Amino acid sequence: MPARKQPRSVAREIALLSLSQVKGKAEKLEQLELDQLMLAAVRTLGSEIHDILETAAGEVTRAEDQLLKSETQAISLQSARTMTQESLELARKAINRLGHVVELPEFLQLTRQSEVRTYALDLIGTVRRRHEDIQKIVSESLVDWQYHRLPRIDRDILRIAVAEIMFLDIPYKVAINEAVELAKRYSDEDGHRFINGVLRRITDKLRAQEQV
């Protein structure tokens, strides 16, 4: 059984995963029930698992093609090995995501569900209502990146963290730490360092403004 998590930590995870699935105006979010948010979150994970496995299967097929050529081309054998390693890594990633699908409902059962729903809706609603402000804040703190070219999961983690820092009065350290933990679960290998760097630049700027 997974360890018990605080309601807001569970709410952040559900908000992150359901953000791209929940449609409609921010004003109508209050009508959503927790089970609808959970369904959206599980659908997001299910879709990602499907995409990862499709990519892995493609890598296996390419590796097989390279192995057929490897009898006469040493470079083809090395290429096939690389593709096989990549497909195995993708398979491991898909298994981890499947673990998240199983864990999330358990996390929810072990915490206060009314608080989870309220805060998840607060996060999603704030991200929707303050979309332009959040995009501007993040864009100004990116180095050698463009906002719209960020991986969706990284962009959504940043949006939620900025919403907490700027509009929900969450302490900087808490928002950053929670965002980094989400990135460790759902982003790529370097995602949590990237998220941490962007949020540090944002909060350093805010601290400087507070001291003026």
Side-chain angles (χ1 to χ4, degrees):
M1 180 178 290
R4 188 182 298 271
K5 296 179 73 171
Q6 292 298 315
R8 286 193 172 185
S9 293
V10 179
R12 288 182 184 95
E13 196 159 342
I14 291 175
L16 172 68
L17 295 172
S18 61
L19 194 58
S20 63
Q21 295 277 340
V22 175
K23 308 299 181 184
K25 295 182 179 180
E27 293 74 17
K28 295 184 177 181
L29 289 175
E30 288 300 323
Q31 300 173 11
L32 292 175
E33 298 297 333
L34 185 55
D35 59 352
Q36 293 174 287
L37 294 175
M38 276 296 300
L39 179 59
V42 170
R43 281 176 173 168
T44 296
L45 286 172
S47 176
E48 186 176 356
I49 290 169
H50 178 270
D51 291 345
I52 291 171
L53 291 177
E54 283 283 320
T55 304
E59 287 297 305
V60 170
T61 300
R62 291 173 60 203
E64 290 174 344
D65 291 342
Q66 291 295 332
L67 284 173
L68 292 175
K69 303 175 184 177
S70 64
E71 293 183 4
T72 57
Q73 299 180 30
I75 191 171
S76 295
L77 180 58
Q78 181 57 43
S79 179
R81 287 173 176 167
T82 300
M83 292 173 189
T84 301
Q85 290 171 350
E86 289 175 353
S87 66
L88 288 173
E89 183 58 37
L90 287 167
R92 281 193 289 269
K93 186 176 181 181
I95 291 169
N96 287 337
R97 292 295 188 270
L98 187 58
H100 299 335
V101 172
V102 173
E103 287 180 345
L104 195 54
E106 291 192 59
F107 285 142
L108 187 58
Q109 290 300 318
L110 293 172
T111 192
R112 295 182 292 277
Q113 296 184 21
S114 61
E115 292 184 36
V116 172
R117 176 182 177 275
T118 297
Y119 196 61
L121 291 177
D122 283 346
L123 287 171
I124 296 171
T126 303
V127 168
R128 291 281 180 80
R129 286 190 296 272
R130 298 286 192 164
H131 170 73
E132 292 184 2
D133 295 328
I134 292 172
Q135 179 177 333
K136 183 175 185 294
I137 291 166
V138 173
S139 296
E140 290 175 348
S141 298
L142 295 176
V143 177
D144 299 327
W145 274 97
Q146 294 180 349
Y147 180 84
H148 292 293
R149 295 182 66 84
L150 292 175
R152 181 191 59 79
I153 197 71
D154 289 354
R155 186 170 64 241
D156 286 348
I157 291 172
L158 287 169
R159 292 165 73 193
I160 287 172
V162 171
E164 290 194 301
I165 290 168
M166 298 297 299
F167 307 112
L168 296 175
D169 295 324
I170 300 299
Y172 298 167
K173 184 177 180 180
V174 172
I176 292 173
N177 288 346
E178 290 286 337
V180 168
E181 289 305 310
L182 285 174
K184 286 179 180 179
R185 281 174 68 81
Y186 293 108
S187 187
D188 60 24
E189 185 176 349
D190 296 320
H192 67 281
R193 285 185 284 270
F194 172 77
I195 296 291
N196 182 67
V198 175
L199 293 176
R200 295 288 179 188
R201 284 192 290 275
I202 290 172
T203 54
D204 284 349
K205 186 183 296 185
L206 290 173
R207 287 191 181 98
Q209 292 172 353
E210 291 167 0
Q211 294 174 0
V212 174

